[in-house]
């Protein structure tokens, strides 16, 4: 029959092996979180680019509207028709801009949540590693 210190040593070795298994699982989860974060950052960058394009298009349409009003001596009816068309397009663009800004805000919140989760996971990993090292 093994002595008490031998049993304690065996229990500690088993616990260490168990904790090392848990550490590997947490490390895999952390890696997955980092991959998700990278995907969200990529989506965020794509939304930012789309937002910039939409802003440029909106500015271009506004400039075009001004240019048309200066360039042509339209009758009041023709001028009102052209202005109404451009205002509708600007409204559509403004709606799209608003949607993109909401998406950007949502992605920023998701990024912050993932950053916090990553920090918590890292803290947990460090703590677990310290406990393993103490063994």
């Amino acid at each position: 029959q093994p002595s008490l210190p031998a049993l304690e040593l065996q229990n500690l070795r088993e616990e260490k092996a168990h904790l090392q298994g848990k550490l590997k699982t947490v490390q895999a989860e952390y890696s997955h979180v980092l991959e998700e974060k990278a995907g969200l950052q990529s989506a965020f960058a794509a939304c930012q680019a789309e937002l910039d394009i939409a802003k440029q298009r909106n500015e271009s349409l506004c400039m075009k509207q001004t240019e048309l009003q200066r360039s042509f001596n339209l009758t009041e009816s023709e001028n009102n028709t052209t202005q109404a068309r451009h205002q509708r397009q600007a409204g559509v663009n403004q709606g799209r801009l608003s949607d993109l800004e909401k998406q950007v805000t949502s992605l920023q919140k998701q990024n912050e949540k993932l950053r916090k989760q990553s920090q918590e996971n890292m803290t947990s990993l460090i703590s677990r590693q310290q406990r393993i090292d103490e063994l």
Side-chain angles (χ1 to χ4, degrees), residues 52-127:
D52 290 343
I53 290 168
K55 283 180 179 179
Q56 289 173 358
R57 184 161 187 249
N58 193 39
E59 288 174 16
S60 175
L61 285 170
C62 289
M63 288 172 53
K64 187 174 183 179
Q65 178 181 354
T66 301
E67 180 185 316
L68 286 171
Q69 288 172 353
R70 290 180 186 162
S71 299
F72 299 103
N73 186 10
L74 299 172
T75 64
E76 189 65 27
S77 175
E78 289 172 319
N79 192 33
N80 288 341
T81 300
T82 301
Q83 186 176 6
R85 183 176 64 246
H86 283 282
Q87 285 175 345
R88 279 194 305 274
Q89 185 61 51
V92 168
N93 287 343
Q94 191 61 44
R96 183 66 178 135
L97 281 173
S98 177
D99 291 345
L100 288 171
E101 288 169 347
K102 288 176 186 174
Q103 289 177 14
V104 166
T105 300
S106 174
L107 286 170
Q108 286 171 332
K109 288 179 183 176
Q110 290 175 358
N111 278 340
E112 181 59 23
K113 181 179 175 183
L114 284 174
R115 187 196 65 72
K116 287 180 182 177
Q117 186 179 17
S118 295
Q119 185 62 42
E120 290 171 5
N121 285 345
M122 185 55 74
T123 302
S124 176
L125 282 172
I126 290 169
S127 174

